[in-house]
Structure formats: structure tokens, C-alpha cells
Amino acid sequence: MSEYSTTAKDWFGLGPRGTPARDGGMPAFIADTKDWVVRAETVMDEHPGIQPRLQRTLQRYVDDLWLYVNNIAPGPEEPYDDAAWNDSLVAYGGPLRICQELGVRW
């Protein structure tokens, strides 16, 4: 989770959508996100039976990220891009809260 937070912050830090820097960084961001999604799902598959809410919200977060990077394109942000990203942030709150309660921080 910490790794992907850094990936996202770095890409968003390139500037607003539609700028040359942000559009130029998009291919790497997409590739890094897809790679992280596969690795996150592998870890989840290796640990069946985890706390149900953690599993559901983490899967929702991973799915939202996958949807986001499979729909974004260079240029100005589309309304559904913003909605997909915001939905991923809501889902992120599940794993964040559950892990914090267990003393796991990132």
C-alpha cells in the first residue's frame, strides 16, 4: 500500500492532467499501477479467509485502480476518470482503517 501511495503521489505531482509532464508520465503510471494490481491480487489470493471487510474493501480498491488506468488517456481529465479515482480513495479507507486498528501503518 505504501509503495502504491508513492507511485500515485509521484504521478499526481507532475502537474494537472493534460499538461505535457503529466501526460508524459502516464505510460509509466499505467504500467506501474497494473503491475501493483497484479501483485496485490497475488498476495490476496495467497491469504484466503482474511477479515471479510478487509478483503472486500481491498479488492474494491484494486478494482477501482485497474478501471482507472484502463480508461485514462492523455489530455484533460474526463468526469468518469475523476469519479473512478475518488471511488478508489473511498475504498482505500477500508484497508487503511482496519490496518491502523491492528497497528499496521504505511
Side-chain angles (χ1 to χ4, degrees):
M1 297 296 283
S2 177
E3 174 191 336
Y4 190 73
S5 290
T6 299
T7 297
K9 286 177 188 175
D10 289 349
W11 187 63
F12 278 90
L14 294 175
R17 281 286 303 272
T19 61
R22 184 91 169 265
D23 285 353
M26 189 177 289
F29 173 72
I30 290 170
D32 291 346
T33 300
K34 287 181 177 181
D35 176 66
W36 187 86
V37 163
V38 168
R39 290 184 292 120
E41 288 182 326
T42 299
V43 170
M44 289 172 26
D45 290 345
E46 291 171 351
H47 297 87
I50 62 172
Q51 199 263 22
R53 188 158 287 113
L54 175 61
Q55 183 174 1
R56 289 191 308 267
T57 57
L58 184 55
Q59 185 64 60
R60 184 175 146 211
Y61 175 64
V62 168
D63 288 347
D64 287 344
L65 293 177
W66 183 87
L67 287 167
Y68 181 68
V69 299
N70 279 282
N71 287 312
I72 58 173
E77 191 162 42
E78 297 292 334
Y80 51 82
D81 294 338
D82 190 43
W85 182 258
N86 288 335
D87 195 50
S88 78
L89 296 178
V90 171
Y92 178 89
L96 179 65
R97 179 67 174 170
I98 292 164
C99 289
Q100 285 177 341
E101 289 175 357
L102 296 172
V104 177
R105 307 267 189 253
W106 61 79

